[in-house]
């Protein structure tokens, strides 16, 4: 039987991983909240997730539509800003074949107090599957 020794990681590396994990969870919660607002067709609530002067872009909020987030990438840009990229899959609540849509967005999220807001959004793809 072969025993492989684990290599200890420096405390600074572990601390950085924990901070990034917390940041990832915050961003994932932000997008989950946005998608819940879209599924409820709450346009006012959705608009409140964008900074003043940034118009919401992407799929239109539609009641009875379900939204899923995938392929979330996060790249810290500044101390209070992140560049993100994610794929949003949307479709009717009732499973109807061929009615799925994929939207890929790149955002700049900026921290305002305890909240993240979209300060810039680019829709890279918005097509039916």
């Amino acid at each position: 039987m072969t025993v492989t020794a684990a290599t200890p990681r420096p405390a600074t590396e572990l601390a950085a991983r924990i901070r990034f994990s917390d940041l990832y969870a915050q961003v994932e919660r932000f997008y989950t909240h946005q998608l819940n607002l879209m599924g409820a067709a709450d346009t006012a609530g959705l608009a409140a997730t964008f900074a003043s002067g940034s118009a919401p872009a992407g799929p239109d909020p539609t009641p009875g539509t379900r939204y899923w987030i995938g392929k979330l990438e996060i790249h810290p840009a500044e101390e209070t800003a992140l560049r993100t990229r994610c794929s949003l899959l949307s479709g009717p609540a009732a499973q109807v074949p061929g009615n799925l849509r994929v939207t890929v967005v790149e955002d700049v999220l900026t921290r305002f107090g305890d909240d993240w807001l979209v300060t810039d959004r680019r829709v890279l793809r918005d097509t039916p599957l």
Side-chain angles (χ1 to χ4, degrees), residues 46-57 108 117-121:
L46 181 62
T49 65
F50 287 77
S52 178
S54 298
V108 174
L117 297 177
V118 177
T119 52
D120 185 50
R121 171 167 285 175

Side-chain angles (χ1 to χ4, degrees), residues 8-119:
R9 291 205 167 121
T12 54
E13 180 184 335
L14 184 58
R17 285 177 180 254
I18 291 169
R19 282 192 303 274
F20 186 79
S21 294
D22 181 53
L23 183 63
Y24 189 93
Q26 288 177 36
V27 173
E28 192 172 48
R29 278 191 302 272
F30 172 81
Y31 282 114
T32 299
H33 177 65
Q34 265 197 341
L35 297 181
N36 287 336
L37 293 168
M38 290 172 65
D42 183 350
T43 55
L46 181 62
T49 65
F50 287 77
S52 178
S54 298
D60 291 327
T62 307
T65 300
R66 289 189 179 168
Y67 298 89
W68 298 269
I69 184 171
K71 295 186 175 184
L72 176 58
E73 298 175 27
I74 301 171
H75 304 281
E78 298 172 14
E79 191 170 313
T80 60
L82 305 169
R83 293 193 173 282
T84 65
R85 181 182 179 134
C86 63
S87 299
L88 309 173
L89 185 65
S90 59
Q95 294 183 5
V96 180
N99 284 345
L100 295 177
R101 177 169 214 84
V102 67
T103 305
V104 179
V105 297
E106 284 185 347
D107 287 338
V108 174
L109 300 182
T110 304
R111 181 167 299 281
F112 289 89
D114 291 335
D115 297 323
W116 291 101
L117 297 177
V118 177
T119 52

